Amino acid sequence: KLEWDEVDQRAVDTVRALAADAVQKVGNGHPGTAISLAPLAYLLYQKLLTHDPADTTWDGRDRFVLSAGHSALTQYIQLYLGGFGLELDDLKALRTWGSKTPGHPEYKHTKGVEVTTGPLGQGVANAVGMAMAARRERGLLDPDAAPGESVFDHQVVAIASDGDLQEGVSGEASSLAGTQELGNLTVIYDANSISIEDVTDVAFTEDVAARYEAYGWHVQTVDWTRGGDHTDGEGYHEDVQALWDALQAAKAETTRPSFIRLRTIIAWPVPKLQNTGKSHGSALGEEAIKGLKAATGLDPEKTFAVDDEVLERTRGLAARAAEVRKDWDARFAAWQEANPERAALLARLKTRTLPEGWTDSLKSFPAGKAVSTRKASGEVLTGLAGVLPELWGGSADLAESNNTTMEGEPSFLPPSRQTRSWSGGPYGRTLHFGIREHAMGAAINGIVLHGGTRAYGGTFLQFSDYMRASVRLAALMEIPSIFVWTHDSIGLGEDGPTHQPVEHVAALRLIPGLAVVRPADANETAYAWRGALEHTESPTGLVLSRQNLPVYDREVFGSAEGTLKGGYVLVDAEGDLQVIIVATGSEVEVAVAAREQLQAAGVGTRVVSMPCREWFAEQDDAYRASVLPPSVKARVSVEAGVAAGWRDIVGDAGRTVSLEHFGASADGARLMQEFGFTAENVVAKAHESLQ
Amino acid sequence: KLEWDEVDQRAVDTVRALAADAVQKVGNGHPGTAISLAPLAYLLYQKLLTHDPADTTWDGRDRFVLSAGHSALTQYIQLYLGGFGLELDDLKALRTWGSKTPGHPEYKHTKGVEVTTGPLGQGVANAVGMAMAARRERGLLDPDAAPGESVFDHQVVAIASDGDLQEGVSGEASSLAGTQELGNLTVIYDANSISIEDVTDVAFTEDVAARYEAYGWHVQTVDWTRGGDHTDGEGYHEDVQALWDALQAAKAETTRPSFIRLRTIIAWPVPKLQNTGKSHGSALGEEAIKGLKAATGLDPEKTFAVDDEVLERTRGLAARAAEVRKDWDARFAAWQEANPERAALLARLKTRTLPEGWTDSLKSFPAGKAVSTRKASGEVLTGLAGVLPELWGGSADLAESNNTTMEGEPSFLPPSRQTRSWSGGPYGRTLHFGIREHAMGAAINGIVLHGGTRAYGGTFLQFSDYMRASVRLAALMEIPSIFVWTHDSIGLGEDGPTHQPVEHVAALRLIPGLAVVRPADANETAYAWRGALEHTESPTGLVLSRQNLPVYDREVFGSAEGTLKGGYVLVDAEGDLQVIIVATGSEVEVAVAAREQLQAAGVGTRVVSMPCREWFAEQDDAYRASVLPPSVKARVSVEAGVAAGWRDIVGDAGRTVSLEHFGASADGARLMQEFGFTAENVVAKAHESLQ
């Protein structure tokens, strides 16, 4: 039963005034949605969500995602009112240097923000990932509890705007959520039919509710416009009870994700500016703000005004949460006692600590038989399955090609979705994202953000372009998402230039904070996984070959452990060191062959394998100078992609063996030959560099 | 009325055998869909589409898009049978070096291929763009003809797979197509419920037909499985008449785009392999191929066998097309005579020739008042509106921010979609893509591929990540799509790191063939547009500032025409040239200020404005050396983004002023200051470089 009195209503109106005041003070921002969604935000933060202002990382909390990140004030004002750590001065500092209230909500920057949002559509897909993670976490920690009875049962609630639902990534993720029957997920769609180009009819006329029904969601509509049009506020009624009922029904629906289409008027009840594109992304102006305050019974002359009574009510959340928490803590203690091993696992997962001795399970590969690094990666994963229950993942419909399945592990699928090829259950481990790279990236971020488990997702390196926005957000959020990108160069062969990544490795390296690891052989691949798993505050992309590559005999060659340092001497010069060949991935083989020829001609040649430029850059000067002595200016880089970036390594005197154009459809070996990735060409470049 | 006899049926079965043989010969490829869609492909190429094997660029032709590009044989075999230029030897050379039959269809590589496809989802969005272009073309050339009566009336027909429809980009574009009421578009969805991970139930259980109804499409289902499941071929019936009827109904529907859900069994009737993920992307093996041939009454022992009677029938397309063409040519001649000016325009558009004297309409900006380059861009567009009717475009919901609207030009919108902010009509010029950057990129490619007009599309530079896959395809196809990316650096300010591009300029430069132009002031912006328009065989991305930038007095500074050369001396050293500062966009201002300080200290300093590294690289050595004399080693680059790539310009002795981490939320000027984009910092780096 919803309790709602005059103080609640005043609090909601206060939210509107604060939103308007905060944007007006800094002179820019997005007031409209924060104003019209004030009742929803208040309802969620004060009444619906299970959370604790005193402990924003509490395992039992519901997760809230503001997919409509531009309406950051929707979240900030509630974090202030609810006492999560923001104060009035933070709202006054909106969008200014050093504030806790940046233009869009930022994870790790503002307490209580679960995810960085703003790039539209991402938040919906993050929420889908969180809901998947919640189910997997329950499966790991408390699988036998009755539905709704586990301390790990919680909801994921997201607010999405018209823009979020126009973006393809949200559609991809929502279709997946339907297949996955994510009953713990609720998306509230703020259907105000206004975006920056004003009334959305110019571009967005579909029946969104029907689309979500087609995805298999539980769909409700709450229409505060009462079937009316959006041209004025007449007859508009913020029916909080109806919204509450819909939210309760969504929560009660546990076999399908829920979609609530909430028809609103943006910026209601701001005189003249409600229902305009202008109110979406601009300061309203003092007159309009006064009008807003007058319309809601607040003092038009006051700014940033909050009644004591309002704040007392909203800060009462702490006490109310403490009550809930007390009960939860008791149940949690009972769970701990009954499940000591699982409790130990949870403690480990919370800190992302890897278990003692886990590296013993890292597969090591004997020299001799050539193996593709994608295949090696699959074997590494299978080897880790037993010791790292937190690790799970899958592919965007390329499981067999990406080698992302841990052998024998069940699929993460509702009973109804299993096929002759894939069996499993709702707590399974192998993920099937479908042909939806973008949603995969965002869902993996959501899984990682949820906490507990860690997920990886695979596709062809070419299609890292489709998911690039999500990869960037993983880097921006400093979260350890892992991306497995196979078929990493023209070496993939016949599929041709549409599938051959030429610029992708270089382009991914540009994302600040992302480690891009392109191992040269199976053992480097094992260490690449180790490095990825040991980096818990940044994402990693593994770049793997389709084709077989020699497995180097590490009695003869440098230890593959050098992978963890990003670059190392794979094989040193005999005699004086005259030239250094630096290569990555499949081109290391070419470098080694070139070295043979150069040494035979009396040129002392070192081969440096440099699987990860970012990890190499993290090493101290002394180590880097030991690998690349500054005095040795003759250098050649070899990588089957654009050279960009290698000049930093090879210097003015160096040469790059690269590919500055698109590939072609033919077998991979032929392409490598045609495009100059041969020992002969590298030798020639080495001689040029020596001159 | 469909005519269909035993020869037609034998031709269809021959298609299946050829598909199986071709993949078997090379040892890899995608036979399954080419086999089961043989009746559809044959129906389209031989019976439905209006086209002419003798003239694949005929204006009157229907456009065909194989969005399911992996099933390239679906197209190649028809191009062979229909006599479009491929022969049996080309099929035998499938996926091999130098062949006309690469792994995925490639535009400009194989005659009759309208678009490069393979990256899933793109083709659907390309087709949407083509359908939009067809309407706009009609509006330019023959607006008064009755519906269906114009020589420019034609259809766009696409084949999409399960994978295409899982990708978000197709959903975005399909929603837009619904809004645009594209009655000239038909998408046939090959619903075989099989993808690489086998039965799609693991990831794709939505009701696709209902989703397309929600988008506002005309939706039909043709079920060759007759409501049965997909586990065997029993009861499967390739009801060609039903498909034909659906195609005719789709053609007759002119107020909505049409969606035909065709339920098929992949690889039917290949024994054992039909309806398996394996048949999707692997050679079938000789035994299965023999089984296929036996099942369809062909000789199991023969490979690449085509009956004379079959080929005679299919090559008869030329004569049938000639009949149609004769009628069309007569109508076209009449149109030409009645519309001499429009006929001249068409002749110009077909060759992408710019009209004489068009550069007189390129706006020139007086020095003095600072103006953002996005605003300048908008003024340039408005200035060009009158002389370049072929140019049109819009934005992904950021019209006012991207300044992409030519002032006073009508919107491209059906009557029902107009709003208080946007009026226009079905032949309008201003495009509204909605918040769908990826579909925008692909639709622009589709418009350009259609021929005739040229389109541009705008969003924030940050969201170039969302559309990157389409930008790459424009480069791969060598088509002159134009992308307008504004808000180009931390200079955008308060929206913070989710919206601040840091690595994007550098990352876009890596795409082979894409020109990335970041003008320093309003006049460089005008020349940037000129360069973009003059490049007719490659795409261009314009990278524009949100913030105002000084307009340089070109009496004092070098001519902005240097923009066309990619880089030029903006202001030279007084006295001996000692150091060169190279900058782009908004940082040119910082470079000029640094030069003042250096010159004041007696250091001869040249400032090079380098808006487009790709155009600069196209210049001859002499010109490049005149701008960057090799003898001058002291160099500093200044660009508010990652430095990657600048080392090539500044060399070992040079310094880069760059940003190697994400931005922050605060006003843009403050951020530039905090992050080192100041004259003082550039001066310090210049001194370092001089040492």
Side-chain angles (χ1 to χ4, degrees):
Chain A
K1 180 76 191 97
L2 173 64
E3 287 175 23
W4 190 268
D5 64 15
E6 188 273 334
V7 180
D8 292 310
Q9 186 58 48
R10 197 147 22 106
V12 166
D13 291 327
T14 301
V15 170
R16 293 189 237 266
L18 289 174
D21 286 343
V23 172
Q24 187 66 22
K25 181 162 189 295
V26 65
N28 53 72
H30 298 80
T33 300
I35 289 170
S36 42
L37 285 193
L40 169 63
Y42 183 83
L43 207 54
L44 292 180
Y45 267 80
Q46 289 286 323
K47 315 256 180 188
L48 186 94
L49 295 173
T50 299
H51 53 182
D52 183 357
D55 181 3
T56 55
T57 64
W58 172 31
D59 290 319
R61 76 193 186 281
D62 290 336
R63 306 300 199 272
F64 172 70
V65 177
L66 184 69
S67 192
H70 54 275
S71 188
L73 283 165
T74 293
Q75 190 158 20
Y76 295 151
I77 295 172
Q78 295 303 327
L79 292 176
Y80 154 62
L81 289 177
F84 288 78
L86 293 185
E87 296 301 339
L88 215 44
D89 281 345
D90 296 308
L91 299 182
K92 291 178 185 169
L94 181 74
R95 297 165 73 92
T96 59
W97 178 256
S99 83
K100 288 184 193 164
T101 47
H104 294 79
E106 293 179 28
Y107 180 65
K108 291 191 183 175
H109 185 95
T110 307
K111 225 166 88 171
V113 169
E114 301 272 5
V115 49
T116 298
T117 52
L120 290 169
Q122 299 287 335
V124 172
N126 297 145
V128 169
M130 288 179 180
M132 291 163 71
R135 192 167 87 199
R136 172 83 184 151
E137 177 187 67
R138 190 190 205 276
L140 284 177
L141 300 175
D142 204 14
D144 304 321
E149 296 296 311
S150 171
V151 286
F152 299 105
D153 286 329
H154 55 269
Q155 296 282 306
V156 180
V157 178
I159 293 179
S161 61
D162 284 294
D164 286 298
L165 300 189
Q166 290 176 58
E167 292 287 3
V169 62
S170 66
E172 292 178 5
S174 297
S175 179
L176 180 61
T179 296
Q180 285 289 346
E181 301 176 353
L182 298 175
N184 56 350
L185 172 65
T186 299
V187 171
I188 303 135
Y189 162 37
D190 177 31
N192 63 34
S193 300
I194 292 287
S195 59
I196 292 179
E197 292 189 8
D198 200 48
V199 179
T200 53
D201 276 0
V202 291
F204 191 47
T205 54
E206 60 168 78
D207 182 340
V208 181
R211 173 154 64 93
Y212 272 78
E213 273 165 16
Y215 291 144
W217 287 47
H218 168 242
V219 175
Q220 305 174 77
T221 288
V222 175
D223 184 359
W224 287 353
T225 71
R226 299 204 263 193
D229 64 13
H230 288 271
T231 50
D232 60 33
E234 286 297 311
Y236 187 74
H237 171 51
E238 286 180 334
D239 188 341
V240 176
Q241 182 70 48
L243 177 57
W244 178 254
D245 293 344
L247 288 165
Q248 292 301 328
K251 197 169 172 176
E253 167 63 64
T254 58
T255 63
R256 289 179 292 172
S258 280
F259 186 79
I260 299 173
R261 175 168 161 269
L262 176 63
R263 282 196 80 192
T264 65
I265 295 178
I266 193 170
W268 185 86
V270 180
K272 292 184 187 156
L273 289 173
Q274 62 180 345
N275 192 36
T276 64
K278 212 174 154 178
S279 72
H280 168 100
S282 308
L284 301 174
E286 287 191 9
E287 195 190 318
I289 295 175
K290 284 182 184 174
L292 164 67
K293 289 173 183 168
T296 53
L298 300 174
D299 184 342
E301 301 306 322
K302 284 188 181 163
T303 60
F304 293 102
V306 182
D307 273 10
D308 290 345
E309 200 180 5
V310 162
L311 198 63
E312 195 186 323
R313 167 72 59 88
T314 61
R315 291 283 166 104
L317 179 61
R320 283 175 275 137
E323 279 300 301
V324 174
R325 187 67 193 255
K326 211 165 118 185
D327 169 63
W328 188 91
D329 286 346
R331 292 194 295 132
F332 182 72
W335 171 83
Q336 278 180 308
E337 204 175 304
N339 300 275
E341 278 182 34
R342 287 172 178 155
L345 174 61
L346 174 62
R348 188 170 70 70
L349 300 195
K350 274 190 76 95
T351 53
R352 297 212 193 278
T353 311
L354 294 162
E356 201 146 331
W358 75 279
T359 55
D360 297 347
S361 300
L362 262 184
K363 189 160 160 72
S364 149
F365 297 83
K369 191 164 164 269
V371 57
S372 66
T373 52
R374 65 177 168 134
K375 184 155 184 293
S377 170
E379 293 186 26
V380 170
L381 282 170
T382 296
L384 292 175
V387 288
L388 298 182
E390 68 267 44
L391 187 63
W392 60 316
S395 164
D397 193 52
L398 293 167
E400 255 190 69
S401 300
N402 299 146
N403 298 80
T404 39
T405 311
M406 296 165 168
E407 218 172 285
E409 292 293 325
S411 287
F412 180 83
L413 284 174
S416 63
R417 308 310 193 191
Q418 307 191 38
T419 67
R420 62 189 178 199
S421 298
W422 303 97
S423 62
Y427 298 147
R429 191 167 189 178
T430 304
L431 285 160
H432 303 281
F433 293 102
I435 301 156
R436 308 184 182 103
E437 300 81 7
H438 201 171
M440 176 172 73
I444 286 171
N445 291 348
I447 291 170
V448 174
L449 286 161
H450 177 276
T453 67
R454 288 183 68 174
Y456 60 87
T459 185
F460 292 153
L461 178 59
Q462 176 64 235
F463 302 116
S464 63
D465 274 358
Y466 275 60
M467 60 194 293
R468 190 171 167 92
S470 298
V471 175
R472 179 183 208 262
L473 281 163
L476 178 57
M477 290 189 278
E478 299 175 352
I479 58 172
S481 302
I482 299 176
F483 307 108
V484 180
W485 293 310
T486 73
H487 296 60
D488 72 347
S489 74
I490 50 168
L492 69 85
E494 292 83 355
D495 273 341
T498 57
H499 282 56
Q500 288 161 359
V502 164
E503 73 280 22
H504 299 67
V505 174
L508 289 164
R509 286 189 184 124
L510 300 180
I511 298 177
L514 173 70
V516 179
V517 195
R518 186 169 186 247
D521 79 347
N523 288 307
E524 281 195 9
T525 306
Y527 280 101
W529 270 105
R530 177 169 160 183
L533 291 163
E534 287 178 347
H535 280 77
T536 57
E537 304 285 330
S538 59
T540 304
L542 303 178
V543 172
L544 305 173
S545 76
R546 177 195 184 207
Q547 71 273 31
N548 286 337
L549 303 179
V551 178
Y552 298 102
D553 179 354
R554 300 292 173 166
E555 302 285 315
V556 178
F557 292 84
S559 165
E561 194 167 354
T563 302
L564 297 174
K565 294 188 167 174
Y568 65 101
V569 179
L570 181 69
V571 49
D572 212 345
E574 282 169 46
D576 282 353
L577 172 56
Q578 293 172 271
V579 62
I580 303 173
I581 309 176
V582 187
T584 76
S586 49
E587 288 70 71
V588 169
E589 184 180 3
V590 180
V592 169
R595 177 186 168 279
E596 291 292 311
Q597 296 187 15
L598 285 161
Q599 286 287 165
V603 181
T605 306
R606 167 183 291 186
V607 173
V608 170
S609 177
M610 193 170 285
C612 182
R613 292 242 302 263
E614 296 75 30
W615 292 347
F616 187 67
E618 282 170 13
Q619 305 308 310
D620 59 32
D621 289 353
Y623 177 75
R624 281 185 287 124
S626 75
V627 176
L628 299 173
S631 59
V632 183
K633 303 285 187 200
R635 300 179 182 186
V636 181
S637 70
V638 196
E639 188 172 71
V642 296
W646 282 107
R647 183 64 58 196
D648 294 312
I649 301 286
V650 302
D652 287 354
R655 292 293 182 275
T656 54
V657 176
S658 69
L659 187 66
E660 303 301 327
H661 53 75
F662 294 107
S665 174
D667 79 89
R670 173 76 181 264
L671 293 173
M672 287 288 185
Q673 199 77 25
E674 294 283 349
F675 295 145
F677 297 96
T678 61
E680 291 66 29
N681 190 32
V682 173
V683 168
K685 296 286 180 189
H687 284 299
E688 280 179 35
S689 186
L690 278 160
Q691 275 161 9
Chain B
K1 178 78 191 99
L2 174 65
E3 287 175 24
W4 189 268
D5 64 15
E6 187 274 333
V7 180
D8 292 309
Q9 186 59 47
R10 197 145 24 105
V12 166
D13 290 329
T14 300
V15 170
R16 292 189 238 265
L18 288 173
D21 286 344
V23 172
Q24 187 66 22
K25 181 163 189 295
V26 65
N28 54 70
H30 299 80
T33 300
I35 290 170
S36 43
L37 284 193
L40 169 64
Y42 182 83
L43 207 55
L44 293 180
Y45 267 81
Q46 288 286 324
K47 314 256 180 188
L48 186 95
L49 294 173
T50 299
H51 52 183
D52 183 356
D55 181 3
T56 54
T57 64
W58 172 31
D59 290 320
R61 76 192 187 282
D62 290 336
R63 306 299 199 271
F64 172 70
V65 177
L66 183 69
S67 191
H70 55 275
S71 188
L73 283 164
T74 292
Q75 191 158 18
Y76 295 151
I77 295 172
Q78 295 303 326
L79 292 176
Y80 154 61
L81 289 177
F84 289 78
L86 293 185
E87 296 300 340
L88 214 45
D89 281 346
D90 296 308
L91 299 183
K92 291 178 184 168
L94 181 74
R95 297 166 73 92
T96 59
W97 178 254
S99 83
K100 288 185 193 164
T101 47
H104 294 80
E106 292 178 29
Y107 180 66
K108 290 191 184 174
H109 185 94
T110 307
K111 224 166 89 172
V113 169
E114 301 272 5
V115 48
T116 298
T117 51
L120 290 169
Q122 299 287 335
V124 172
N126 297 146
V128 169
M130 288 179 179
M132 291 163 70
R135 191 168 86 200
R136 171 83 184 151
E137 178 188 65
R138 189 189 206 278
L140 282 177
L141 299 175
D142 204 14
D144 304 322
E149 296 295 311
S150 170
V151 287
F152 300 105
D153 286 329
H154 54 269
Q155 295 283 306
V156 180
V157 177
I159 294 180
S161 61
D162 285 294
D164 286 298
L165 300 188
Q166 290 176 59
E167 292 288 2
V169 62
S170 66
E172 292 177 6
S174 297
S175 178
L176 179 61
T179 295
Q180 285 290 347
E181 300 175 356
L182 299 175
N184 55 350
L185 172 65
T186 299
V187 172
I188 303 135
Y189 162 37
D190 176 31
N192 63 32
S193 301
I194 291 288
S195 60
I196 293 179
E197 292 190 8
D198 200 48
V199 179
T200 52
D201 276 1
V202 292
F204 192 47
T205 55
E206 60 168 78
D207 182 341
V208 180
R211 173 155 65 92
Y212 272 79
E213 272 165 15
Y215 291 144
W217 288 47
H218 168 241
V219 175
Q220 304 174 79
T221 288
V222 175
D223 184 1
W224 288 353
T225 71
R226 298 205 263 191
D229 63 12
H230 288 271
T231 51
D232 60 34
E234 287 297 311
Y236 187 74
H237 173 51
E238 285 181 335
D239 188 342
V240 175
Q241 182 70 48
L243 177 57
W244 177 254
D245 293 344
L247 288 165
Q248 293 301 329
K251 198 169 172 175
E253 167 63 61
T254 59
T255 62
R256 289 178 293 173
S258 279
F259 186 79
I260 299 174
R261 176 168 162 270
L262 176 64
R263 280 197 80 191
T264 65
I265 294 178
I266 191 170
W268 185 88
V270 181
K272 290 182 187 156
L273 289 173
Q274 62 179 341
N275 193 36
T276 64
K278 214 175 152 177
S279 72
H280 168 102
S282 309
L284 301 172
E286 290 192 6
E287 196 189 317
I289 295 175
K290 284 181 183 175
L292 163 66
K293 290 173 184 168
T296 53
L298 302 174
D299 184 342
E301 300 307 320
K302 286 188 180 162
T303 60
F304 292 102
V306 182
D307 272 12
D308 291 345
E309 199 180 6
V310 162
L311 199 61
E312 195 188 322
R313 167 72 59 87
T314 61
R315 289 283 166 103
L317 179 61
R320 284 174 274 137
E323 278 302 301
V324 175
R325 186 67 192 257
K326 212 166 117 183
D327 169 65
W328 188 90
D329 285 346
R331 293 194 294 132
F332 182 72
W335 170 83
Q336 279 180 308
E337 204 176 306
N339 299 276
E341 279 183 35
R342 286 172 177 156
L345 174 61
L346 175 62
R348 188 170 70 70
L349 298 196
K350 273 191 75 96
T351 54
R352 298 212 191 280
T353 311
L354 294 162
E356 202 145 332
W358 76 279
T359 54
D360 296 348
S361 300
L362 263 184
K363 189 162 161 72
S364 148
F365 298 82
K369 190 164 164 270
V371 57
S372 66
T373 53
R374 65 178 167 132
K375 184 156 183 292
S377 171
E379 292 186 26
V380 170
L381 281 171
T382 296
L384 292 175
V387 288
L388 298 181
E390 68 267 43
L391 187 63
W392 59 315
S395 163
D397 194 50
L398 293 168
E400 255 189 70
S401 300
N402 298 147
N403 298 80
T404 40
T405 310
M406 296 166 168
E407 218 173 286
E409 292 293 325
S411 287
F412 180 82
L413 283 175
S416 62
R417 309 308 194 192
Q418 307 190 41
T419 66
R420 62 188 177 200
S421 299
W422 303 97
S423 62
Y427 298 146
R429 191 169 190 177
T430 304
L431 285 160
H432 303 281
F433 292 101
I435 302 154
R436 307 183 183 104
E437 300 80 7
H438 201 172
M440 176 172 73
I444 286 170
N445 291 348
I447 291 170
V448 174
L449 286 161
H450 177 276
T453 66
R454 288 184 67 173
Y456 59 86
T459 184
F460 292 153
L461 177 59
Q462 176 63 236
F463 302 116
S464 63
D465 274 358
Y466 275 60
M467 59 194 294
R468 188 171 169 94
S470 299
V471 175
R472 180 183 206 261
L473 281 163
L476 178 57
M477 292 189 278
E478 299 174 353
I479 58 173
S481 303
I482 300 177
F483 308 107
V484 179
W485 292 310
T486 72
H487 295 61
D488 72 347
S489 74
I490 50 169
L492 70 85
E494 291 85 353
D495 272 342
T498 58
H499 283 55
Q500 288 161 359
V502 165
E503 73 280 22
H504 299 67
V505 174
L508 289 164
R509 286 188 185 126
L510 300 180
I511 298 177
L514 173 71
V516 180
V517 196
R518 186 169 186 247
D521 78 347
N523 287 307
E524 282 195 10
T525 306
Y527 279 101
W529 269 105
R530 177 168 162 184
L533 290 163
E534 288 179 345
H535 280 78
T536 57
E537 304 285 331
S538 59
T540 304
L542 303 177
V543 173
L544 305 173
S545 76
R546 176 195 183 203
Q547 71 273 30
N548 287 337
L549 303 179
V551 178
Y552 297 102
D553 179 353
R554 299 293 174 165
E555 303 285 314
V556 178
F557 291 84
S559 165
E561 195 168 354
T563 302
L564 296 175
K565 295 191 167 175
Y568 65 101
V569 179
L570 181 69
V571 50
D572 212 346
E574 282 170 44
D576 281 353
L577 172 54
Q578 292 172 270
V579 62
I580 302 174
I581 309 176
V582 188
T584 76
S586 48
E587 287 71 70
V588 169
E589 183 180 4
V590 179
V592 169
R595 177 186 168 279
E596 291 291 313
Q597 296 187 14
L598 286 161
Q599 286 287 165
V603 180
T605 306
R606 167 184 291 187
V607 173
V608 170
S609 178
M610 193 170 285
C612 181
R613 292 241 302 262
E614 296 76 29
W615 292 347
F616 187 68
E618 282 170 15
Q619 305 308 310
D620 59 30
D621 288 354
Y623 177 76
R624 282 185 287 125
S626 76
V627 176
L628 298 174
S631 60
V632 183
K633 302 286 187 201
R635 300 178 182 187
V636 181
S637 70
V638 196
E639 187 172 71
V642 296
W646 283 108
R647 182 64 57 194
D648 295 314
I649 301 288
V650 302
D652 287 354
R655 293 292 183 276
T656 55
V657 176
S658 69
L659 187 65
E660 303 300 328
H661 52 76
F662 294 107
S665 175
D667 79 89
R670 174 74 181 264
L671 293 174
M672 288 288 185
Q673 198 77 25
E674 294 282 349
F675 294 145
F677 297 96
T678 61
E680 291 67 29
N681 190 31
V682 174
V683 168
K685 295 287 181 188
H687 283 299
E688 281 179 34
S689 186
L690 279 161
Q691 275 162 9

